[in-house]
Amino acid sequence: MIPFLDLHKINEQYQEDFKNQFTSFLKSGNYILANEVDSFEQEYANYCGTKYCIGTSNGLAALQLIFEAYKALGILQEGDEIVVPANTYIASVLAISNAHLKPVLVEPDLNTYNIDITKIEQAITPKTKAVLGVHLYGQLYDVAQLEKICKSNNLLLIEDAAQAHGALNLDGRKAGNVSDAAAFSFYPTKNLGALGDAGAVTTNNKELADVIFKLRNYGRASSYQNDFKGYNNRLDELQAAFLRIKLKHLDGDNHKRKVIAQYYLDNINSTQILLPFCNDLRKHAFHLFVVRCKKRNELKEYLFKKGIETLIHYPLPIHKQLAYKEWNHISFPITEQIHDEVLSLPISPLLMAKEIKIIVDVLCKFR
């Protein structure tokens, strides 16, 4: 079986570094918000090109803390509307709901799977205060156009960059630095994955960063002074240590993903399979390589029988989930089509050339 993603194999290559780092961590006696978190925050901010990075317990927490910080600053209020793509992982929308804001779903572009820029302005009302853009699968949304829309309508622009570590805009800015604030997830399967849950916020706004630094740690300004009703959403010191090791290899791993993606794009030849649209392969992080097929379930089963594991990102859209039953009656046809047809192929940076060739050969024989 060619696995979709072999996390053991990915992390095994750093085993000695992890062991050394753990020994150092253990001896330090400092286990919460100490040197490793501070160092990772500085290094990841430098990587993204932002002034600030705030480590958090996970990606959902990172996104929710952005909204909560804007509320604490008086820029957002409960009930304000946030435009968000209908085609995304549920965490994007949960962060809005959990902050007692109102998600307003907008259909995606059928080619890029990112939010359809042409449909945003018609969703804006006097209560709209922000747009949450999602860099789905590792390709940035149309940054220039979304920045323009937000500026002309006086809206905050927030990035869900959970799948876009190292992805680039056409002007060279990295994901995490093309908005007012961005949220990252370092879930183990991400391009930059921890060995457990972890996340971060990046921003160039000092006032916002200062509030998020406090909110993630009980709202504390100092040990026993609390400025806000905060949360326990701190980045774990040990996960920060592991992330520092893997960050050094992120660009190299992303390059390997792009090489695999290019081979897929050049060699998968089937009238049944629609390949992903890519504005510029060099800018894409290729967290996922997602094809579409009218006979998606048949294709998935066919590949499994041939020894190739695939996944579906995602089988059920948010507006059809029981968690959002108030939306179950609404139709988003483009979103529904995408969720019915998408299939993610293996694109691990550790895939061997012979495995990649097998995947392509098997796909080309699907009828």
Side-chain angles (χ1 to χ4, degrees):
M1 177 67 70
I2 299 174
F4 179 77
L5 184 66
D6 189 338
L7 286 178
H8 175 264
K9 188 175 179 182
I10 283 175
N11 289 308
E12 188 177 32
Q13 60 189 327
Y14 308 116
Q15 184 170 301
E16 289 306 311
D17 289 335
F18 288 157
K19 287 179 178 178
N20 293 336
Q21 200 74 3
F22 178 78
T23 300
S24 176
F25 157 80
L26 194 62
K27 288 180 178 179
S28 74
N30 297 313
Y31 304 141
I32 301 289
L33 293 184
N35 180 66
E36 294 299 337
V37 170
D38 288 344
S39 296
F40 174 72
E41 288 173 340
Q42 293 170 19
E43 291 163 8
Y44 199 64
N46 290 339
Y47 179 81
C48 293
T50 58
K51 294 179 181 178
Y52 309 100
C53 171
I54 307 99
T56 65
S57 52
N58 55 67
L60 174 57
L63 200 49
Q64 186 174 337
L65 286 171
I66 293 172
F67 292 122
E68 296 291 356
Y70 276 123
K71 285 167 59 183
L73 290 168
I75 296 170
L76 292 178
Q77 298 179 18
E78 289 190 7
D80 284 344
E81 294 177 356
I82 313 295
V83 172
V84 60
N87 176 46
T88 182
Y89 184 57
I90 196 169
S92 307
V93 179
L94 285 174
I96 300 170
S97 299
N98 290 350
H100 303 288
L101 303 166
K102 183 180 177 182
V104 176
L105 304 184
V106 169
E107 285 268 57
D109 182 294
L110 189 55
N111 292 316
T112 66
Y113 309 130
N114 285 329
I115 194 166
D116 189 336
I117 300 296
T118 66
K119 295 178 180 176
I120 292 175
E121 291 196 287
Q122 64 195 48
I124 295 172
T125 75
K127 295 203 70 177
T128 306
K129 301 300 178 184
V131 176
L132 174 58
V134 181
H135 306 308
L136 200 64
Y137 307 148
Q139 180 167 228
L140 269 59
Y141 53 68
D142 189 332
V143 172
Q145 289 302 311
L146 198 43
E147 285 178 327
K148 183 178 178 181
I149 289 171
C150 288
K151 185 175 181 179
S152 63
N153 290 278
N154 195 29
L155 303 176
L156 295 169
L157 175 55
I158 299 166
E159 292 170 76
D160 182 337
Q163 300 183 358
H165 315 75
L168 290 165
N169 187 38
L170 297 177
D171 61 9
R173 286 180 292 163
K174 279 197 177 99
N177 191 27
V178 294
S179 65
D180 294 295
F184 287 90
S185 166
F186 304 119
Y187 188 77
T189 58
K190 304 299 185 185
N191 292 34
L192 179 60
L195 275 69
D197 270 322
V201 174
T202 56
T203 184
N204 291 306
N205 185 326
K206 184 180 187 302
E207 189 178 24
L208 182 73
D210 287 344
V211 175
I212 297 174
F213 273 121
K214 293 175 183 178
L215 283 176
R216 68 150 180 206
N217 190 28
Y218 300 105
R220 282 167 41 170
S222 60
S223 294
Y224 297 105
Q225 178 185 335
N226 297 69
D227 291 352
F228 303 102
K229 296 173 183 176
Y231 308 86
N232 183 358
N233 285 143
R234 302 172 298 218
L235 174 61
D236 183 78
E237 183 77 357
L238 186 56
Q239 295 304 331
F242 293 154
L243 285 166
R244 291 184 67 199
I245 292 169
K246 297 182 73 174
L247 179 57
K248 299 171 186 175
H249 303 273
L250 176 57
D251 285 342
D253 285 347
N254 280 354
H255 175 72
K256 292 173 185 175
R257 290 174 179 270
K258 292 171 189 176
V259 170
I260 297 168
Q262 187 68 70
Y263 188 84
Y264 282 160
L265 291 169
D266 290 343
N267 293 282
I268 295 174
N269 184 15
S270 170
T271 57
Q272 302 293 324
I273 298 169
L274 183 65
L275 297 173
F277 172 82
C278 180
N279 280 317
D280 187 338
L281 184 137
R282 296 168 298 176
K283 312 295 186 187
H284 205 308
F286 282 105
H287 171 59
L288 297 171
F289 189 95
V290 180
V291 300
R292 290 211 332 265
C293 179
K294 296 288 186 184
K295 300 188 289 184
R296 189 266 310 284
N297 294 340
E298 285 183 44
L299 176 59
K300 182 174 174 57
E301 182 65 21
Y302 164 78
L303 290 169
F304 182 77
K305 288 179 178 178
K306 297 292 185 179
I308 300 167
E309 184 183 23
T310 58
L311 292 179
I312 299 171
H313 296 90
Y314 303 95
L316 190 64
I318 298 166
H319 68 283
K320 296 299 182 183
Q321 299 279 357
L322 183 59
Y324 285 98
K325 56 181 180 291
E326 65 271 25
W327 292 341
N328 288 175
H329 67 286
I330 302 174
S331 176
F332 290 98
I334 296 174
T335 296
E336 290 159 24
Q337 179 184 349
I338 289 170
H339 284 255
D340 286 342
E341 296 179 359
V342 290
L343 188 66
S344 300
L345 305 181
I347 194 167
S348 163
L350 294 186
L351 276 178
M352 295 182 290
K354 63 180 180 180
E355 293 176 318
I356 300 165
K357 187 176 186 305
I358 288 170
I359 293 168
V360 169
D361 289 347
V362 169
L363 281 168
C364 288
K365 294 174 183 175
F366 180 71
R367 297 290 182 266

